C-alpha cells in the first residue's frame, strides 16, 4: 500500500509534514472551532473578537441579539426610573427594601412596628400608583 503524503499550508505555501504533525494540527484546529461554537452558543464573546485596544471590533454582529427589544427594554427602564422618582422618600424606602434588598414584609414590619399586612397594603398602594403612572407608557 502506498504511503500517503500530508501537507499543511503555511503563509499560502504547501508544506509537506508527517502524518503525526498533520493529525495533531487538525485535532487542535477542530477543537478550536468547537470551542468557538460553544462560546457563541452560550453568548460568550471570545477575546479574539476584541481589537488591540481591548474594544470589541465594530463589525461584530450577533444575529441572535434583538436590538429592538434591547431599546424597548431600555426605554421601559427609563420610564420606570422616572415613575420611581415621583415617589415619596418613605415609598422609595419601602420599594427598595422589598425589591432591591429582598427583605420580607415581616422583617420590614418589625422594623417599622407595623403588621406585615399593613406593609403589604402600603406596597400594593405604591405599586398601583406606579402602574397608573406607567399605564400609558407601555
Amino acid at each position: 500500500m502506498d504511503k500517503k503524503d500530508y501537507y499543511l499550508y503555511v503563509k499560502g505555501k504547501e508544506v509537506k509534514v508527517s502524518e503525526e504533525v498533520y493529525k495533531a494540527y487538525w485535532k487542535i484546529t477542530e477543537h478550536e472551532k468547537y470551542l468557538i461554537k460553544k462560546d457563541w452558543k452560550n453568548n460568550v464573546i471570545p477575546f479574539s473578537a476584541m481589537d488591540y485596544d481591548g474594544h470589541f471590533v465594530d463589525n461584530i454582529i450577533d444575529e441572535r441579539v434583538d436590538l429592538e427589544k434591547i431599546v424597548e427594554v431600555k426605554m421601559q427602564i427609563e420610564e420606570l426610573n422616572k415613575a420611581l422618582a415621583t415617589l415619596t422618600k418613605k415609598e422609595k424606602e419601602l420599594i427598595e427594601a422589598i425589591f432591591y434588598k429582598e427583605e420580607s414584609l415581616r422583617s420590614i414590619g418589625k422594623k417599622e412596628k407595623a403588621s406585615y399586612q399593613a406593609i403589604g397594603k402600603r406596597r400594593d398602594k405604591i405599586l398601583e400608583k406606579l402602574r397608573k403612572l406607567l399605564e400609558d407608557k407601555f
Side-chain angles (χ1 to χ4, degrees):
M1 186 157 92
D2 292 327
K3 189 172 181 179
K4 184 176 176 184
D5 291 332
Y6 294 93
Y7 296 92
L8 293 176
Y9 287 87
V10 179
K11 296 184 181 181
K13 293 185 180 180
E14 190 177 65
V15 178
K16 188 174 182 178
V17 295
S18 69
E19 180 180 3
E20 183 180 346
V21 169
Y22 181 83
K23 286 181 178 180
Y25 171 82
W26 282 108
K27 182 178 179 180
I28 291 168
T29 302
E30 292 302 313
H31 185 66
E32 286 175 354
K33 286 181 190 177
Y34 164 77
L35 292 174
I36 290 168
K37 279 184 181 179
K38 191 173 180 180
D39 284 346
W40 282 108
K41 180 181 175 188
N42 293 307
N43 296 320
V44 174
I45 298 177
F47 284 111
S48 61
M50 300 176 116
D51 65 12
Y52 64 92
D53 288 333
H55 298 96
F56 288 105
V57 179
D58 293 334
N59 62 0
I60 294 176
I61 298 173
D62 187 348
E63 309 297 328
R64 297 165 292 175
V65 174
D66 185 350
L67 290 178
E68 288 179 19
K69 186 69 174 170
I70 291 170
V71 170
E72 181 184 337
V73 169
K74 184 173 174 31
M75 290 171 63
Q76 289 173 343
I77 291 170
E78 287 173 7
E79 290 300 327
L80 177 59
N81 285 329
K82 288 178 190 175
L84 289 170
T86 67
L87 298 178
T88 66
K89 183 180 179 195
K90 199 149 180 77
E91 290 171 333
K92 285 179 191 176
E93 287 171 355
L94 182 61
I95 292 298
E96 185 178 311
I98 294 170
F99 295 103
Y100 295 104
K101 296 178 183 174
E102 297 181 358
E103 291 182 38
S104 70
L105 299 181
R106 285 191 193 282
S107 69
I108 297 168
K110 282 181 184 176
K111 282 188 222 170
E112 296 190 13
K113 296 183 172 79
S115 68
Y116 74 90
Q117 294 96 333
I119 301 298
K121 286 180 184 177
R122 278 185 42 214
R123 175 205 57 204
D124 294 345
K125 284 182 182 179
I126 297 167
L127 292 177
E128 182 63 24
K129 180 179 177 180
L130 289 171
R131 188 186 64 73
K132 285 181 181 177
L133 287 169
L134 297 171
E135 197 170 52
D136 61 331
K137 305 291 182 185
F138 306 117

